[in-house]
């Protein structure tokens, strides 16, 4: 089931025919949010939301999370020994090769969005991610479920922050 939802989300990202309501500028999204017309759902991972900041009033409902499964202890020890023996410039050690990253779709995503809309008594949602693609996919997915969804153009980093709208974080 999770794989099916992930595949659907991925396919929607590649779909040239977006079906959600519209792309909104950060200013338009902020105005709709302030007027109580919509809530802004941040679909980024929890770590992104916490450590790279988020816009004022964003509600974090990740569309997916990542799990990191370490490779064998022997491989990690061998890698540590190799790092100690070689002259590496700071920042050039590739520790990511020691973990298998797996994307896990949030099976509660749609229900959580609907619940948040009900709690805030709105009939529309604005989706945001870092720069746009994940929120577009989520907006298409929610639209297929009958939810009035918008996408925040250029995402948090290049839309919201560049517009100098209020945010928490770095």
């Amino acid at each position: 089931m999770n794989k099916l939802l992930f595949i659907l989300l991925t396919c929607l990202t590649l779909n040239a025919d977006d079906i959600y309501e519209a792309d909104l500028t950060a200013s338009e999204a902020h105005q709709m949010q302030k007027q109580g017309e919509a809530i802004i759902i941040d679909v980024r991972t929890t770590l992104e939301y916490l450590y790279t900041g988020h816009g004022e009033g964003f509600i974090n409902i990740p569309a997916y999370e990542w799990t990191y499964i370490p490779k064998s202890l022997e491989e990690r020890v061998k890698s540590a020994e190799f790092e100690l023996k070689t002259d590496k410039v700071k920042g050039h050690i590739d520790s990511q090769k020691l973990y298998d990253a797996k994307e896990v779709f949030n099976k509660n995503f749609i229900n959580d969005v609907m619940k948040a809309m009900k709690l805030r008594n709105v009939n529309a949602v604005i989706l945001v991610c870092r720069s746009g693609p994940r929120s577009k996919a989520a907006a298409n997915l929610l639209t297929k479920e009958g939810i009035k969804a918008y996408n925040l153009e250029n995402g948090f980093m290049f839309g919201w922050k560049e517009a100098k709208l209020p945010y928490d974080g770095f």
Side-chain angles (χ1 to χ4, degrees):
M1 179 71 168
N2 286 346
K3 284 187 178 186
L4 178 62
L5 289 172
F6 172 71
I7 291 168
L8 174 62
L9 191 61
T10 303
C11 289
L12 287 172
T13 303
L14 301 174
N15 187 356
D17 299 323
D18 291 321
I19 59 172
Y20 56 85
E21 293 291 320
D23 290 312
L24 301 175
T25 66
S27 296
E28 291 169 330
H30 191 239
Q31 182 178 2
M32 284 180 72
Q33 176 195 45
K34 286 290 197 184
Q35 293 174 347
E37 298 173 20
I39 55 175
I40 299 178
I41 302 293
D42 190 327
V43 302
R44 295 176 299 159
T45 66
T46 303
L47 288 176
E48 286 178 283
Y49 180 83
L50 292 173
Y51 295 111
T52 64
H54 58 275
E56 175 182 78
F58 285 17
I59 301 166
N60 182 229
I61 304 176
Y64 66 88
E65 291 285 355
W66 288 92
T67 61
Y68 298 92
I69 301 166
K71 296 206 174 160
S72 73
L73 182 58
E74 291 79 9
E75 286 182 77
R76 290 179 278 147
V77 168
K78 185 188 267 186
S79 177
E81 289 171 349
F82 176 76
E83 289 172 1
L84 290 170
K85 290 178 184 175
T86 59
D87 288 332
K88 295 247 179 190
V89 178
K90 184 178 177 183
H92 287 86
I93 297 172
D94 186 11
S95 298
Q96 292 180 359
K97 67 183 178 191
L98 299 174
Y99 297 86
D100 289 323
K102 296 192 187 247
E103 193 173 47
V104 180
F105 184 80
N106 177 359
K107 65 183 178 195
N108 298 316
F109 178 70
I110 296 166
N111 288 335
D112 286 350
V113 169
M114 292 169 63
K115 188 174 184 178
M117 291 174 70
K118 185 175 180 180
L119 289 168
R120 292 289 300 275
N121 196 28
V122 297
N123 66 0
V125 62
I126 302 163
L127 289 301
V128 62
C129 65
R130 179 183 178 276
S131 58
R134 289 178 285 174
S135 56
K136 279 186 173 205
N140 281 323
L141 176 67
L142 293 173
T143 298
K144 286 190 173 193
E145 293 295 319
I147 296 170
K148 189 174 186 177
Y150 297 87
N151 176 57
L152 194 145
E153 191 173 60
N154 299 318
F156 172 66
M157 296 298 286
F158 307 109
W160 193 270
K161 283 178 80 172
E162 298 261 328
K164 300 195 182 335
L165 292 169
Y167 68 91
D168 179 42
F170 308 97

